[in-house]
Amino acid sequence: MLYDFFSESRTIAVPFCITQFFFFFSFICIELYLLAVMSYDRYIAICHPLHYIQIMHPQTCALMVSAAWTVGFLTSLIHTLCIKMLDFCGPNIIKGFFCDLPQLFLLSCTDTFINVLVMFLVGIIMGSGAFSMTLVPYIRIFHTIIRIQSRNGKLKAFSTCTSHLTVVFIFYGTLISTYLRPSPTSISSEDRLVSVMYTVVTPLTNPLIYSLRSKDLKAALWRSLGVK
């Protein structure tokens, strides 16, 4: 994608376009499950703080991250194999910044009903699974926070969750508006803007959102702004 952005050439072969989609969609799916893993991490940190080290030891973390990467690549592989069955012989202008499912469906000369059906089924099954694994721990987390007596303790617990929840709702909101809707007949400027949100804006803001909890980073930020 970076090569396409900075290159004077504005063409891409179909196999390269499908390859670009495979890795792009893989990383989207991986982030969905990594958000679920982070939700579980916060659940252990808030609800079982004394057992955190025993539960979240390096082997457990490595296993959960490996599972997220494996499921992400397998999910993307399903869509990629379905795209391989399509024929592209008509319009060849991608109405977007990169090769994505809606754009490729519009360029196909064959019926995309099966592809759209697979997109919805996989999106509902895998997406709802990841979304449930992300939000269900927060039911117990909020129940635990409510039982905390001190106001400072509640604020500290809430601050642990706010950065993660912010990324979750931005990421899921833009994905739902892109994939879980009827097959589009055209790609509008609003669709391109939404695609930029979950491919560029969210990854760029992730380090900032998560780092705002760091006292050292906030102190350095105030110093750079000249605020004592």
Side-chain angles (χ1 to χ4, degrees):
M1 289 173 62
L2 290 176
Y3 174 80
D4 292 338
F5 289 154
F6 293 104
S7 173
E8 295 182 2
S9 174
R10 290 294 178 264
T11 61
I12 182 172
V14 173
F16 295 148
C17 187
I18 296 176
T19 302
Q20 183 186 86
F21 163 77
F22 170 75
F23 286 103
F24 157 74
F25 199 76
S26 295
F27 294 137
I28 286 182
C29 297
I30 291 168
E31 181 163 359
L32 288 178
Y33 285 97
L34 288 180
L35 289 173
V37 170
M38 294 172 66
S39 180
Y40 178 73
D41 176 79
R42 278 153 176 73
Y43 162 73
I44 298 299
I46 294 176
C47 300
H48 304 283
L50 298 180
H51 301 282
Y52 181 84
I53 297 178
Q54 288 77 15
I55 297 175
M56 298 299 294
H57 52 79
Q59 290 81 0
T60 301
C61 295
L63 180 62
M64 291 191 294
V65 171
S66 300
W69 278 74
T70 302
V71 174
F73 279 118
L74 290 178
T75 303
S76 182
L77 182 62
I78 294 174
H79 291 294
T80 304
L81 293 177
C82 290
I83 292 176
K84 289 281 290 183
M85 296 186 296
L86 299 177
D87 292 325
F88 300 95
C89 56
N92 59 357
I93 299 177
I94 299 175
K95 302 294 184 179
F97 300 111
F98 53 90
C99 298
D100 200 1
L101 283 180
Q103 288 84 352
L104 291 174
F105 289 167
L106 291 177
L107 299 182
S108 174
C109 301
T110 52
D111 186 18
T112 59
F113 173 77
I114 298 298
N115 298 78
V116 174
L117 181 61
V118 170
M119 182 179 70
F120 272 93
L121 291 178
V122 174
I124 291 173
I125 295 173
M126 307 299 290
S128 60
F131 191 66
S132 300
M133 288 188 292
T134 303
L135 289 188
V136 167
Y138 275 102
I139 299 176
R140 182 65 184 276
I141 289 174
F142 290 142
H143 180 69
T144 301
I145 292 176
I146 293 174
R147 293 164 55 188
I148 297 176
Q149 299 297 325
S150 66
R151 182 172 178 272
N152 290 335
K154 289 183 178 181
L155 291 176
K156 184 177 180 180
F158 271 119
S159 67
T160 304
C161 305
T162 51
S163 58
H164 179 243
L165 286 175
T166 300
V167 174
V168 167
F169 286 115
I170 293 176
F171 195 64
Y172 272 95
T174 53
L175 286 182
I176 290 173
S177 64
T178 300
Y179 295 106
L180 296 184
R181 64 172 183 171
S183 182
T185 56
S186 63
I187 302 297
S188 64
S189 57
E190 289 78 11
D191 296 323
R192 297 190 188 98
L193 178 61
V194 170
S195 69
V196 171
M197 285 294 296
Y198 66 82
T199 57
V200 178
V201 176
T202 303
L204 286 176
T205 56
N206 278 352
L208 178 62
I209 292 174
Y210 292 128
S211 298
L212 286 178
R213 292 180 52 246
S214 171
K215 294 181 179 179
D216 294 335
L217 186 138
K218 287 189 288 188
L221 178 62
W222 290 125
R223 285 197 303 269
S224 65
L225 296 176
V227 179
K228 297 182 179 180

